[in-house]
Amino acid sequence: MELSVIKKDKDVLRFMVSGVTAAFANALRRTMMAEVPTMAIDDVIVIENTSVLFDEFLAHRFGLIPLTTDLDAYTLPEKCDCKSELGCNRCRASFTMEIEAKDKTTTVYSGDLEPDNPSIRPVSEKIPIVKLAPGQKLKLEAYAKLGRGQEHAKWQPVSACTYKYLPTVSIDTSKCDGCGDCIKYCPKCLLEMKDKKLVVKDVEECTLCTQCIKRCSKEPCPIKVGWSETDFIFLVESTGSLPATKIVEEAAKQIGEKASELLQILKDTA
Ligand SMILES: [Zn+2]
């Protein structure tokens, strides 16, 4: 297996994995979505709420705020030694909020949550929660814990996580007369003429639409569009709770752990 990074920044990672099967690529995708833990608010204690939204509605909105996650400092509640329903400092982060609209309408934002641990805070401070009319008040406590996307989408670390087969485009130069008609029909503008010969650039951007073949007047068409069964291009977009590279790293670790668990079971039953 080979891995090469195509584009990398904090929240977006594009990379190619070669020499694997579609089953493996899908296992990696599903693990990133469903098994990599992140922090999310799971419990809200409403002390005072005179806003127009019900308590349940507010709690739901708080739950969906992406929170920065520290996987080294926190552990999953089911794996924590405290075995307490309320949780402890190792498995729970808390927030408080107290806002009153005095004489003008006030919007409550995610940034108004006061974290007890500054390393666990909303990814964006500008997520609107509710508007308070003059005189309305909101006072609450919120508790976040680690969880997995398979339980609820609020714990999913990725907003987008996809893969596609690496496209392959070949041009038989002995049959292509270089008329260039196909160039203008490629919606991704991937074809160009170089030294009077048709060439493809950025083949990984190809969407396999085959417009180049459909618009070609030659019979049989010298262009062949296909894909590789063993090369996959991944796009991982983080919600901001974890860096995109960390999500891939953590997913790979999870797959490894599951594989060794399976081996152990097979050994024990042998
Ligand atoms: Zn605990």
Side-chain angles (χ1 to χ4, degrees):
M1 183 172 98
E2 264 179 55
L3 196 144
S4 56
V5 174
I6 299 167
K7 184 189 164 201
K8 177 179 149 185
D9 52 47
K10 191 174 163 280
D11 290 332
V12 182
L13 180 67
R14 210 156 171 252
F15 61 98
M16 188 157 84
V17 184
S18 308
V20 296
T21 61
F24 179 82
N26 203 32
L28 185 59
R29 181 188 71 92
R30 292 189 57 146
T31 310
M32 284 193 262
M33 282 168 39
E35 308 256 355
V36 175
T38 58
M39 275 286 187
I41 290 174
D42 195 45
D43 238 333
V44 179
I45 297 170
V46 180
I47 298 157
E48 201 176 340
N49 172 21
T50 51
S51 79
V52 291
L53 295 187
F54 298 120
D55 295 356
E56 293 85 345
F57 209 117
L58 282 175
H60 182 248
R61 291 185 67 77
F62 282 117
L64 293 174
I65 298 170
L67 302 177
T68 55
T69 299
D70 183 348
L71 289 178
D72 300 323
Y74 287 88
T75 153
L76 283 159
E78 62 267 28
K79 286 188 183 165
C80 188
D81 298 331
C82 72
K83 301 286 172 225
S84 142
E85 207 175 296
L86 290 168
C88 65
N89 286 342
R90 284 280 294 146
C91 62
R92 187 193 68 177
S94 61
F95 299 86
T96 51
M97 181 185 264
E98 187 171 2
I99 294 181
E100 188 176 2
K102 295 269 161 38
D103 43 7
K104 63 176 187 342
T105 307
T106 308
T107 307
V108 179
Y109 290 99
S110 52
D112 294 321
L113 281 167
E114 295 286 344
D116 68 334
N117 175 359
S119 68
I120 309 295
R121 59 182 191 283
V123 167
S124 164
E125 304 213 317
K126 284 285 164 205
I127 302 170
I129 308 294
V130 61
K131 273 187 178 174
L132 300 178
Q136 291 183 345
K137 195 177 171 188
L138 200 55
K139 187 177 176 187
L140 52 88
E141 286 168 17
Y143 297 95
K145 63 176 190 180
L146 281 178
R148 299 177 197 273
Q150 61 190 8
E151 202 180 320
H152 192 291
K154 68 182 175 182
W155 280 301
Q156 207 168 281
V158 285
S159 45
C161 183
T162 62
Y163 70 84
K164 67 168 188 175
Y165 290 99
L166 175 72
T168 53
V169 180
S170 63
I171 299 155
D172 187 342
T173 42
S174 64
K175 290 187 187 125
C176 176
D177 64 1
C179 69
D181 280 352
C182 51
I183 293 174
K184 58 179 181 287
Y185 292 111
C186 177
K188 299 289 246 176
C189 305
L190 303 178
L191 295 166
E192 63 180 8
M193 295 302 282
K194 231 181 205 167
D195 302 327
K196 292 182 186 163
K197 275 185 183 164
L198 188 67
V199 290
V200 195
K201 46 177 183 178
D202 302 331
V203 72
E204 64 262 31
E205 294 293 331
C206 175
T207 59
L208 308 177
C209 71
T210 64
Q211 279 301 314
C212 49
I213 295 175
K214 285 172 195 156
R215 304 286 179 162
C216 182
S217 53
K218 306 290 162 305
E219 195 59 58
C221 178
I223 308 172
K224 282 204 165 48
V225 175
W227 57 87
S228 160
E229 297 276 351
T230 56
D231 302 278
F232 301 87
I233 297 168
F234 274 84
L235 173 72
V236 179
E237 192 184 275
S238 165
T239 58
S241 53
L242 288 167
T245 43
K246 178 82 180 165
I247 297 171
V248 184
E249 198 185 302
E250 207 50 44
K253 213 162 92 185
Q254 301 267 353
I255 295 173
E257 276 170 21
K258 274 175 195 279
S260 18
E261 212 174 293
L262 176 67
L263 274 179
Q264 195 54 47
I265 295 171
L266 286 173
K267 266 185 205 159
D268 292 348
T269 51

